[in-house]
Amino acid sequence: DTFYSGLDPQQIVLTLAPGQAVVRDISLTSRATAGDKSGVVKLDPFVLTASKLTEGEALATNEQRFAPNIKNVVSTDAFGDVPEGNIAEFMRFLPGVTVGYEDEMPTAVSIRGFGGAMTNVMTDGATMANSARIGSSREFDFIQVSINNVSRIEVTKVPTPANPASGLSGNVNMVSKNSFERSRAQLNYRLTFSGHGANLKLAEQPFPFDTRERPVKLGFDFDYTLPVTKNFGLVLTALQSFTMTNQDTANTTWNATAAGTGATPSRPYLQTHTLLEAPKWRDRNSAGLKLDWRVSPNSVLTLGMQANYYRYVNGNLQRTTSVGTTAAPAIAGGVPLTFGENFARSAAGRGTAGFGSNFLHDYAKTLSANTRYRYQSAEWLIDAGANASKSITWRRTIAKGHFNSFGSGLLATTGVRVNFEDIRPEGPGITRVFDANNRELDLFDLRNFRLNTASSGTYRNYTDDTAGLDLNVKRSLSLFKVPVTLQGGGLLGIQDRDHRRESLGYTYNPANPADPTLAPFAMQVYRGHPNYWVQQPIPWASPNRMVEAWGGNPGLFTQTAAQLVASEQARINGSETFKEITTGLYLQSDARLLNNRLFALAGVRFERIHTKAQ
């Protein structure tokens, strides 16, 4: 008897002479998809001869069916197109999986409610290097892998002794595409355009780097499966995607505890309002090559290689106004803080307003290679592999022509009042600012704002190198007519991770002391478009023009003694490194009854981790 989930079983009779070996190719089909071919079949005008979706789902179904524990296996074709090729975006559909986001971008996953750092992520059974941008965490950052290289995702929710101990909440295994999954050569390709609904334009548009960028670009992906012979084949994949999104945000902070204000949790006041414009884009590029060789009828040797490159660019601009947290005025005879259901007015001298930024250039590159030998017969399964991978993540700002952030405030330094009027859930409908002489200051005039400081932000240089070996041996037998398997094996893993961080702060020294304002750095390209929340253009200052001016005048931004000390402290404290060597052995057995349902599983695993960190 031969069977495969999703296909019709067959009974085949073989005649064997003593000492003779017989090879018989078996082709299973499904009446539901191909029709009954036992007699004359009348075909419809269009016939589906092969279904990539059906084949992928059948592979996933069989993997899940014979798993010894609770495990979800899903073909990557199951949910259609995945935006930007992000695997975490795909995994949010799986039960028991929670996806973590950075803005609208999925970055990490957790299983069964545990944190992402407790989820072990592998490729073809091997741990993959991942220099997570968040630093020392073990959380796997999915921006560094692409779904185009993956055939199916295996999510193990209940680890067994055969699973690495690093996956306390569960394991995610990304199984790469295999040439033996297809009976003939097949090319799947796609050209894509993607963009934000508010900016679907082919022409170049203003971007906060004070440049013009194209918000919609051509992308593509393909996978080519080539069974060269019956026993050798290859799979070649590649992907390039580009996504630009707009982000107009209004952030509000409400205060319910400020002393002397009369604010309570049931009656808070609006303390701070921030308007933010942050267009951003993401480039994802990946390529993969998989070679499959059937060494013998029962054994396969594979070699897989992947390369992933990712770029994330964010042009974050902010304008913040605040009525403060102090009820009493800062000047004699000034008015105190007052507020009501739809207004909040600062005490004299306690109001603040300023512009800022958070410009980012983040990059990630991951290279990996693994080889695996698999022998499978009716009684034995031997699975052995070796892997190595390298991941690098880095962030740059000044080297890319802009500061990460700058600090500014109102040119008026005493008696400033900020009034929020017509307050709504998204913020005040009207914001007015007055100086000590009760003269109203225009929030849309950069000449009313002083530039004080600028910063490189936190430079990052993270590397992660991994290498490992693993061996798994399984023996199937029948004990008192009960199917039983015995399984054992071990692993050796080496991980070397290094983090370097540095932050540089600068003080602004205006070339013309009479004009310390933001006006000389006003945006020249990114200007003139209405802000979503105030419906009029905000005149933003350009961190790019600040760096450009600094290049022509080195004295424009300098470091004070205190800033030099802070920069050196940040460099020293931001340097972290560790090397970890993991060795492990395990043994487990399981017995199956009632149509292959799990009856019992028992085992033990021992892992020793030696860590050297500084």
Side-chain angles (χ1 to χ4, degrees):
D1 293 333
T2 59
F3 69 92
Y4 191 86
S5 298
L7 303 177
D8 300 329
Q10 285 187 21
Q11 287 187 340
I12 299 173
V13 178
L14 295 177
T15 302
L16 292 174
Q20 181 184 10
V22 174
V23 177
R24 173 73 177 270
D25 292 334
I26 301 173
S27 297
L28 299 181
T29 184
S30 170
R31 291 186 179 88
T33 58
D36 185 358
K37 297 186 177 181
S38 59
V40 178
V41 178
K42 182 178 180 181
L43 301 180
D44 292 332
F46 297 96
V47 178
L48 182 63
T49 58
S51 170
K52 180 183 177 185
L53 178 61
T54 301
E55 293 171 5
E57 287 183 341
L59 284 167
T61 299
N62 279 273
E63 288 285 341
Q64 183 168 316
R65 177 179 180 180
F66 294 103
N69 52 354
I70 299 176
K71 181 178 180 180
N72 292 117
V73 185
V74 184
S75 167
T76 54
D77 303 315
F79 299 134
D81 296 341
V82 176
E84 200 205 350
N86 191 312
I87 293 179
E89 181 75 29
F90 171 86
M91 293 184 63
R92 67 188 179 95
F93 295 104
L94 303 183
V97 175
T98 303
V99 177
Y101 285 84
E102 182 180 290
D103 296 331
E104 81 288 356
M105 178 175 58
T107 58
V109 301
S110 59
I111 301 174
R112 299 188 297 136
F114 291 85
M118 297 184 182
T119 301
N120 186 49
V121 179
M122 301 178 290
T123 297
D124 293 329
T127 299
M128 192 174 187
N130 188 262
S131 51
R133 295 170 298 151
I134 57 178
S136 304
S137 172
R138 293 180 182 270
E139 186 174 271
F140 190 92
D141 195 340
F142 277 87
I143 71 166
Q144 299 182 29
V145 290
S146 171
I147 199 170
N148 194 52
N149 300 320
V150 179
S151 171
R152 56 190 180 275
I153 305 291
E154 301 176 347
V155 179
T156 302
K157 297 179 181 177
V158 179
T160 69
N163 299 124
S166 54
L168 295 179
S169 66
N171 294 273
V172 175
N173 186 29
M174 299 174 289
V175 182
S176 57
K177 295 177 178 178
N178 188 297
S179 63
F180 296 143
E181 295 175 3
R182 297 285 185 268
S183 60
R184 58 180 181 273
Q186 182 170 323
L187 173 64
N188 302 298
Y189 61 91
R190 178 176 55 177
L191 298 177
T192 60
F193 283 97
S194 62
H196 191 273
N199 200 15
L200 291 175
K201 301 175 182 178
L202 295 178
E204 293 181 341
Q205 302 296 312
F207 192 78
F209 292 165
D210 220 16
T211 58
R212 291 186 176 274
E213 307 291 342
R214 202 175 301 277
V216 178
K217 293 182 181 179
L218 178 66
F220 71 89
D221 65 83
F222 75 86
D223 65 86
Y224 179 51
T225 303
L226 178 62
V228 179
T229 68
K230 181 179 178 179
N231 296 319
F232 179 76
L234 61 87
V235 179
L236 179 64
T237 64
L239 175 144
Q240 197 283 323
S241 72
F242 174 89
T243 304
M244 178 181 283
T245 58
N246 292 334
Q247 181 177 269
D248 294 324
T249 303
N251 297 330
T252 57
T253 301
W254 297 76
N255 196 316
T257 60
T261 63
T264 65
S266 62
R267 187 173 176 265
Y269 72 91
L270 178 61
Q271 174 190 312
T272 304
H273 179 229
T274 299
L275 293 173
L276 180 147
E277 293 183 18
K280 62 193 70 176
W281 80 71
R282 299 185 292 273
D283 281 314
R284 184 187 298 273
N285 302 270
S286 72
L289 176 63
K290 182 79 172 293
L291 304 176
D292 305 292
W293 175 32
R294 185 178 284 111
V295 182
S296 70
N298 294 329
S299 60
V300 175
L301 178 65
T302 64
L303 173 64
M305 294 167 282
Q306 288 188 36
N308 295 275
Y309 177 77
Y310 186 87
R311 181 173 64 150
Y312 171 68
V313 177
N314 191 336
N316 184 310
L317 295 164
Q318 308 153 18
R319 193 193 75 183
T320 301
T321 50
S322 177
V323 301
T325 61
T326 305
I331 59 175
V335 298
L337 183 148
T338 58
F339 68 93
E341 290 187 3
N342 64 350
F343 73 90
R345 298 165 187 159
S346 72
R350 305 296 187 183
T352 59
F355 286 86
S357 67
N358 184 24
F359 279 16
L360 300 176
H361 269 87
D362 284 356
Y363 301 84
K365 180 171 65 176
T366 302
L367 303 173
S368 68
N370 67 77
T371 183
R372 186 160 293 277
Y373 174 80
R374 184 181 180 90
Y375 172 87
Q376 186 169 14
S377 66
E379 295 83 19
W380 288 96
L381 171 62
I382 301 175
D383 189 9
N387 66 88
S389 58
K390 183 179 186 66
S391 177
I392 306 173
T393 298
W394 65 100
R395 172 178 291 178
R396 298 293 183 266
T397 53
I398 295 176
K400 292 298 178 180
H402 58 76
F403 286 114
N404 165 257
S405 62
F406 65 91
S408 68
L410 288 165
L411 195 61
T413 56
T414 59
V416 172
R417 291 181 291 118
V418 173
N419 294 350
F420 294 147
E421 312 288 349
D422 187 23
I423 294 176
R424 310 162 188 174
E426 65 271 17
I430 301 173
T431 301
R432 305 180 70 186
V433 180
F434 300 89
D435 64 10
N437 299 317
N438 206 36
R439 181 174 63 92
E440 185 167 2
L441 305 177
D442 187 358
L443 286 172
F444 294 86
D445 189 346
L446 293 180
R447 292 173 296 179
N448 288 323
F449 294 85
R450 176 194 301 270
L451 177 59
N452 298 317
T453 59
S455 170
S456 69
T458 303
Y459 283 133
R460 297 178 182 177
N461 228 71
Y462 299 164
T463 62
D464 187 26
D465 298 311
T466 65
L469 302 169
D470 65 90
L471 172 66
N472 301 277
V473 179
K474 181 188 290 187
R475 176 72 163 92
S476 300
L477 49 89
S478 179
L479 185 63
F480 303 110
K481 298 184 179 181
V482 176
V484 176
T485 63
L486 298 176
Q487 183 173 345
L491 65 83
L492 169 65
I494 301 173
Q495 182 176 24
D496 196 344
R497 180 173 289 186
D498 184 83
H499 292 164
R500 306 284 174 170
R501 292 186 289 268
E502 183 179 25
S503 181
L504 306 175
Y506 300 91
T507 296
Y508 177 55
N509 308 298
N512 178 9
D515 183 15
T517 70
L518 290 172
F521 308 108
M523 293 277 189
Q524 300 300 307
V525 178
Y526 187 76
R527 64 177 186 174
H529 62 282
N531 180 273
Y532 180 85
W533 302 103
V534 297
Q535 296 303 308
Q536 69 181 97
I538 294 178
W540 299 106
S542 171
N544 288 75
R545 294 192 176 276
M546 296 175 191
V547 170
E548 182 181 355
W550 185 26
N553 181 1
L556 204 59
F557 292 92
T558 58
Q559 287 190 292
T560 64
Q563 287 171 327
L564 286 169
V565 171
S567 296
E568 183 63 11
Q569 288 177 335
R571 185 190 68 81
I572 295 173
N573 294 331
S575 177
E576 302 172 318
T577 181
F578 79 80
K579 186 171 185 178
E580 192 170 82
I581 300 176
T582 303
T583 55
L585 296 172
Y586 79 92
L587 180 66
Q588 76 174 42
S589 65
D590 66 77
R592 298 171 181 268
L593 285 175
L594 302 177
N595 195 24
N596 283 319
R597 293 180 182 175
L598 182 63
F599 174 73
L601 185 148
V604 62
R605 184 179 187 90
F606 171 79
E607 279 197 15
R608 182 180 183 273
I609 301 176
H610 176 73
T611 302
K612 181 180 179 181
Q614 66 180 47

